[in-house]
Amino acid sequence: MLVIKPGNSGTPWETDVNGTRLAVGLAILGFAQAVSAQPADLPIAPARTDQFPNGFKVIRAKDGQVYATKDGHTLYGMDMRTLIAFGPDPALYCRDECTKVWEPMLAPPGSKPNIAFPRGFGSPPPPAGQAPRPAAAPAASNSDLNPDGLYNTQRAPDWTLIQGASGPQWVYKSWHLVFTRKGDKPGSTAHDGADNLTWNTLKFVPPVPKLTAPQSVAAAYRDGAYILTHKDGRALFTGICRKDCTDWSPLTAPAAGRGLGEWTVSRSGDTPQWLYRGKPVYVGAALDTPAPIPANGKVLRP
Amino acid sequence: MISQRMPKLLAAGAIALGAGSMGAAPQPFTPQAIGDAPARSLPAPPADGVMGFVVSDFVQPIVEGKDACPDGPVPKLREAYIASLPAAERERLTRKENEAELLRAWQMTAFGKNGTNICSQPEMFDRPTFRTVQSKVAWGLDLDEGNATDTCAHDTFTTPNGQTGIDNQEYRALGCKLEWRTKDGVGGDNQIGMKQFHNSGEWTQVILLRGVDSLENDPSVEVVYANTPDRPMIDAKGNYLPGITYSISTKPPRERNVLKGRIVGGVLMTDPGDIKLTQTWGQGGARDIRGNRARWDYRKARLRLEFQPDGSLKGMMAGYRPVADPIISPALGGAGSALVAGIDCAGELATLRKYADGLKDPKTGKCNGISATQRISAVPAYINDINQRRASR
Amino acid sequence: MRRPKTLLALSLAASAFAFGVWTVSADAGAPQKPTPLATAPLTAANGQIVAMRRLSESQYRSAITDIFGPDITVAGRFEPVVRPVGELIASGSSDAAISPAGLEQFDAMARVIAAQTFNEAHRSQFSDCTPADASAADVACASRILAPLGRYLFRRPLTTEEQAFYVKLAGSGAGPTKSFYKGIELALAAMLTSPNFLYIIETAEPDPANPGELRLDNYSRATRLAMTLWNTTPNDMLLDAAAAGSLTDQAKLESIANRMTQSPRMEAGVRAFFADMLKFEKFDEMAKDPVIYPYFNQDVLKALPEQMLRTISDHLLTRNGDYRDLFTTRRTFMTRALGGIYQVRVPVSDGWVPYEFSPADDRAGLLGQAGFLALYSHSGRSSPTLRGRAIRELMMCQPVPNPPGNVNFTAVQDTENKAMPTARIRLSAHNSDPVCAACHKITDPPGLSLEKFDGIGKYRAAENGAQIDINGALGSAKFSGGAGLGQAMNASGATTQCVASRALEYTTGRVVSDEALVQSTEKAFAAKGYGIRSLFFQVMTSPQNWRVPKSAPVGATRVSLNR
Amino acid sequence: MAYDLNRRTALRGMLGGAAVTVGVPLLDCFLDVNGKAMAATGNAMPIRFGTWFWGLGVNPTRWFPTKPGRNYDLPPELAPIAPLQNKISVFGNFNVPLDGAPNLPHVSGGAAVRTGRALTAERGLPGESFDVTIGDRIGSRSRFASLDLSATGDPRNSLSGRGGGNLNPSEISAANLYSRIFGTGFKDPNSASFTPDPQVIARRSVLSGVTEQRQSLERAVGAGDKAKLDQYFTSLRQLENQLDAELTKPEPLQACMVPRKVPGLPVNAEIENVMMSHELMTDLLVMALACDQTRVFNMMFNNGASSLTRIGSTITHHQLTHEEVLDPKLGYQPEATYFLTKIMEAWLYFVTALDKVKEGDGTLLDNTLVFAHSETAFAKFHTIDCMPMMMAGTAGGKIKSGLYVDGAGSPVSRVGLTMMQAMGVPMDRWGAKSMETNKTIGEIMA
C-alpha cells in the first residue's frame, strides 16, 4: 500500500495542496501543534534530566553523544510524526518487514503504557442528539495529563511508554519510538535519518545546567558541551586584548551590583563589567556567525 | 512594512471571481502572459550577465470558462453523498429538519474500519473518480514532445495561443475542483489564496540567471531556482517592489535547483531536469513548526520564461509530479480535511492515478507521475547566492 | 532671552528634603504626628546652585542601565524637553520644568524600576545585608543598601541628613506594608522622583584663579564630563576623582578628559550630540505617503537616523576623520530595508553592513543620505527650501527667518501642474514675490542641487518627465549636484565654527554668546585636524568653560553669511 | 477612615497659597492629567477597561470604512453600529507581521493583537495580554481582578493571560455569573466600610514628607530655578491629590443596584441561544461595573474557529467560512455572513447597555474603554494583515471616540500600546520584532 511520507513531501494539513489555506479548526490545529511540538527534522531537545531507564547508557558516537543499549548498540527513534499517513496510530507501524531489521525496545514486563499518539478527528461523528465537539481553544489544557490519564505530549517526561506493535515500548520525548538496528555494530549510527527522517539516532543532549548568573547570561550546547552565552545568542568570552579591541565589548554589570555566585562586578574600567571567576567577560558576535569570538578570546563554561 | 494591500487584495479577490482582476489578485490569464514572445525591444542585460528575480506569482493556471466543466464542479463529500441516494431518500434527508441526520450520514462516509479515514488512508477507500476537464484548451508545455518512451497514453491540450501537444494531466484531473474554478468557471480560491500566501512572505522563491549575454538570443544560460527566507517588499497594491535584495537559503529547507537553459527570441527555456522546491510556512527563521515539509517535486521539468520590456519575467514551470503529491496536504489533515473541508482524498487519488501519464515504472509499466504546470511571474531583484553572504557587523 | 540667574546659597542637604515624615502604624490606622528629623543648616555645604538641567530621556535610561543593569527595564513616557528656537535641546533642558503629567510618569517609572530592583530575582544583587525581620524595618541594613544607591543616583554622596531621611522612609514604608523590601522599594522610588536625580544640579564654588567669581565644583564637573562625553551618569572613576578633588586640578582633569574622549563610550556621547544638533526628534513624527513612496516603510524609518549616526561615529571616531569630510565621504552602512531606497544589493538579510557609494551615485556625506533628504521633504514631495534651510541652520548655524504668515504657496505645492513640472520652476514662480525671494535665495540654491533625490531620498532621473537641473550655489560657491554641494560645505568654514559653537552650547547648556570663545575653540579644533575627540577635549579642559558666567548670554551664535 | 483630615486641610491651605504663585498655565495641567472624570469632583470615578472578542473576522470590503476621521462611512456589515457611531471608533489597516512564526489559523491573529507578539509552537499566549497589564494598574483593588465571560459555552475560550500555557478561564453560564457577583461575598459599595491601601498610605506619607520642605527650598533657590521648583511641587501636589482620592471613601455609586436572578439557559453554540446568554451576561457585567465589583472584563462572544450554528443546523460558522464558496456575484459568502450580522448586533447591544447607565455627568460607557476585535481579517484565507478592531467609550475623557483610523499597514501593537498608555500603564514601547512599537495612535489620544 502507499505510505505517504510527510518527511518526504506534504504540507501541514490545513492547506489544500496548492497552499490555499483551508483550516479545519482548532481541534485539528491543536492536534497539528501537538504533533509538532518540535519539527521532525529539527535536532532533539536537551534531556530533562540525566536519568534514563535501566539497560540504556550514553555513548560517544562520531557526531556527538547518543543513547545506546548496555552492549553499546545505538538507540534509534522512529519519529511517529512522519508516519501519520500510515494509519490512525503510527505507534503500531513497525510490524512484519519492519521488525526484520528493527528491534523494538520493549518496556520491562508488567509496565503499563502512559502515553499515546495524539488523535485529532480520529473518530466518526457523534450519534444523534449529541452536540458536535466544540473547537478547542488554544492552551486547552494546563495539566501534564490528558483527560484520559495519559501524558500530554507537550509536557511528558523524556521517557514514556506507548502501546507499540509488539507491546509496551519505550518512547523518547513523546515522538521517538525506541528501536535498535538488527545486526548493527556497537556504536554504529549508519541509519541516522533513514527513510526521510523517520529513523533517527537518539542524540543525548545533557540537561541545561542551572545557572547562578546575571539575567543576561544563558547556556548553549556546542560541540558536546555547554558554554555560557548572552541571552540574545551572542557568545561570551574572556581573555586579554592587547590591541584593536573593538570586538571586545564588556558584558556590562550594574554599578550598584554586589555580584552573584561566581560572578563579581569590576568598576575599574569605563563601564562596570562582569567578572566570571575573576576573569573579565566580553560579548562577541552571534554564535551562528563564522567567528563568534576574537582569535585570542576564550569561551566560558559553566 | 507599510502596506494597505489587504482591502485591495480582497477587493481584487472578489472581482477576480467575477470579472477580470487587478491589484494583488491573480492577473487575468491573458495569452501574452505566457504565449509566444511578440516582437518587441528588450533592454541589454547587465555587463556581468547576472540577473536576479523574485517570484511574485506561482499558481496552477486555469483557462476560465464554463465549457471546461459542463457538468459543474467536483462535488464535495456532502454533495457526493446526497447524489448517491435514491431520489426519495435524497428528498427526505435534504429537508431542514433532517439536517443533523444528513450531516452524520455524509460524515460517516469519511470513516472506515478501525479508525481509518478517507484522507489519512485513502488507499483503503474505494471512491469514484472525479469529473474532469472536458475542454481541449489548457496552459502547459509539451513535456514528452510526443515521442517519449516512459509515458502512458494520454490526451494533450492546446494552449489559448495555439501551441499544441500540451501535457497537463493534473489540470485535467483536478481542474473541476471548486478550489480550482468556481461554479461559474472563473478562477477559484487557489488563485487568491496562493497569491495571499506568497504576499504574506511565508514562502518566497527567487530566480538567478548567470552568463546572460542577450535577452533576445543566448545559447547558454545558467538558471538557479531557489528558496529565500527573506520576506518580499510589497507596495500598497500588493505588487512586489523591484530592486530588493534576497539571499538564497543556506539552512534547511534549502532548495537550490541549478538548471541549464537557452534564450531564443526573448524566451528562456531550460533543459529537462528535476526541480524541487520545499514550501515553507511562517515568516522569518523559525519556519514550518508542524514538522512536516511540503515539497513541490517536478521531474523532467522545464522553466519557460519570457523577458518583458519592463524587466520582469512571465512564464511557467511544467513537469511530472509524483502522483500522490497533490493529496499529501489533506492526507496529513486526516479526517478533518474530509469533515470540515469536505475533501474526498480517495476519489482524488484515484483520479490522479487514472490520468497519470509519466514516470513509467519499466517493471510494472504503471505511470507514477502526472504532468502538471505552475504559472510564474517574477520581478527584478538582487539575489545573494549561498556563497555570496557576508557576516553582519 | 533668559532671566539672569541670581545665586543664592542653598544647602543641598535642604534640597534633599531632610525632614519629618509621617509614621503610619502597621495596622494602617491613623497616622501619628510627624517626628521631624533635625533640619539641615542652610549653609553652602556643597556650594551654590548655578544651574538645574532636566535629565534627558537617553541620560535617564543610560543612568538606570549603568546603575541597575540592562535587565532593569525603564518603561514610561518622558515629558519632552522643549527645543528653544535655533538652539539645542541641551539648552532647553536648562529651562525645563516638570509638569504634573510629567511627574506622574516619572513617579510611575520610579515605582516600576524600584519594584524590579528589589524583586526576588534581583534584591540579593543590590543588598549585602539581610534584614533581621523581612517583615519589618531594619535601620542598619536599610542604610547599607540605600547609601551607595544614593551616591550613584544623586551623583554625589548622600549627606547624613539625606541618608537618615531615606532610611526613615524605608522604615515608614515597611510598617504598613509589613515588608522590609517594600520599604526599601519606596525609598528608592522617592530617590528616583527627587529633583536631585531628575535634575542635573550644577553647584559652584569660589574660583581661586578669578577672585570674586565662581567655578563648577568637583561633583558637578564629574557629572558634566559623564553626561557630555558618554551621555550617562558618572561612574566610580569619576565620582572617586571628584571626591579626591582631582577635577579642579587641570593636569588631572586633562588626563581624565583624555581617557574619556578616547574611550569606546565616547560613541554614545557623540551620537547624543549629533542627534540633538541635527534635530533627530523630528524623525518621530516623520510620515510619508505610502502610495507616492512605496519603498518607505517602518523598517526604513527605523534605519534612516541610525544610518546617519553610524556614518558619523564611524567617520569621526572609528576613523578619527576630519569633521569637514563628513560632507564628502561616500562611506556609510546599509540594511536590507535601506537597499530598496538606494536600489543596491545588500549582502545580508539582517543587520548592518558597511557600504561605499560610487561617485556616480552623487551621494556625498550626510547630505546625500536618505535620512537627511527625507526628513527635510514634505510627505509627498521633495523640498529644496527645507533642505537648504536645514543646511544653513543646522550645519552652518545661519538662522533663516520664517516665512511671513500671509504667503500664497499654491505655486510651490501644486506638483500636478504640467506647466511647472519641476520644483525649480515652481519655486522661481513663487519667488517672483521679492519678499519671498530674499530668503529663498539663501535656502534654495544649495537645496536645488539635491533635487535628483525625491521626498524619501530615492534617486529619480526626472520629475514629472522633465529634466532636473541640479546646479546649485552656496554663498559665492557655484557647483552641480550633491558632490558639488559636499565640496562647498567642506570648504565653508561655517560648518566647523558651527559645530564648535554647538559643542560649547551642548556642554554648558547655554547658547554661547562670546564670539571670541567660539573662535578660539574652533582654532584649537582646526589645530587638531578637526577631530571630534579633540574638539570635546578642548571644550572640557579649557578653564573658561568651567567658570560660571556673571550673566546669562544673549541670543544665538551668528556666523556671517558670506563666508 | 484612616486619615487625619485636619492635617491634610492644613497642608492643602499652605500649598494652595503657594500654588497660586506658580501661575496660570499650570492650572490647566490639573485637568488634562486626570481627565474629565476627576476634574468634576476631586474624587475620581472608577475608570474601567474591557475587551469584546468575536471570531472569524469580517468581509473586509463590506465592513471597513473608507473615510478616515469623524462621521466615517458605514459599509453594509458595519451598519448595525449606526445608533452609537459617535461613541465607537473603527480601526483598519493595522497589520500583524509574524516574522519568525507561522500563521497558525485562528490563533496567531488574536494572540498578536493581545500581546504584540507572534505565537510560536507553544499554545496559549506568547506574552502577557494587555488586559492583564491594564488590570494590574487599575483593577488590583476591586473585588474581582477581572471578569472573563464566554457566550458560546466554552470555558477555554479566552485570550487573556500572563503568557505561556495559562489562560484565564471564562465563565460560561449567566446563572453562575450571577451568583459569583451578587451571591455570597457581594459587598454593596454604598454600604461597605472603607479601608485604604497600606501601600498608598505609605506612598502618601513619602510625598507629604517631601512637600513639607517646599518653603525652605523656595527660600533657597534663585529666581531662574524657583519657577522650576514651583512647578515640580505643584506637580507633586497633583500626585498627592490622586493618592488622597484613593485614600478617601469613594462617592456613592448611584447606578449600582442588585439585579434580579437570571434563568438558567442551555449552554451551547446555537446562535439564537448565544445571543440570549450574551445579553444576560452583558446586563450582569454592566451592574458589576456600576457597583465597582470589577474594573476589567473580557467578553468572548464566540471563539476563534467559531463553533456557532443555527438552530436546526449543524454546520458551524467556521466550516461555512471555508466550505462555502465565495459567491462570484456577491463577492462574499452569504451563509457565513449571516453570523457576522448577528455578531455586530450583539456588539451594539453590549455598548448600548453600558451607555444606558448614568454616571457622574456622563454614562458608564464614558468612564469605560471597550476594545472589540477579531482574530482574522478574512477567515476564508486566514488573512491577518488588516485586523478588524473597534473601541467604544472614552475612558473618562482620555480617548476620543467616533473616529475611523487608517493604520496604513503599521503594526497592530500600536493599538494595544495606545490603550495601555490611556489607562495609565507606564509604558513607552510594546511588542516584539516587527510588532515592537513606540508609536501610539495620536488621532484618538485626548
Side-chain angles (χ1 to χ4, degrees), chain C residues 19 22 52 61 94 193, chain D residues 7 203 213 228 232 235 428:
Chain C
F19 38 62
W22 293 25
M52 290 176 66
R61 289 183 179 281
S94 303
T193 37
Chain D
R7 177 174 190 81
R203 285 182 56 216
Q213 281 310 291
K228 273 178 267 175
Y232 174 83
S235 307
D428 62 335

Side-chain angles (χ1 to χ4, degrees), chain A residues 2 4 6 8-18 20-21 24 36 39-41 85 87-88 121 123-126 128, chain B residues 60 104 107 111 120-121 123 179 190 194 202 281 289-296 325-326 328-329 332-333 335-337 340:
Chain A
L2 162 117
I4 296 159
N8 166 21
S9 63
T11 52
W13 79 272
E14 63 279 323
T15 77
D16 84 354
V17 64
N18 300 307
T20 303
R21 291 299 175 85
V24 185
S36 59
D41 52 2
F121 269 127
S123 51
Chain B
Q60 282 101 337
R104 263 198 325 286
Q107 289 194 341
F111 290 91
S120 299
Q121 297 83 26
E123 297 273 319
E179 289 75 22
N190 292 357
M194 200 63 174
E202 295 187 52
W281 300 90
I289 63 157
R290 293 169 186 77
N292 299 307
R293 301 273 189 228
R295 191 158 60 179
W296 295 71
D325 273 16
I328 287 295
S329 171
L332 289 170
S337 314
V340 177

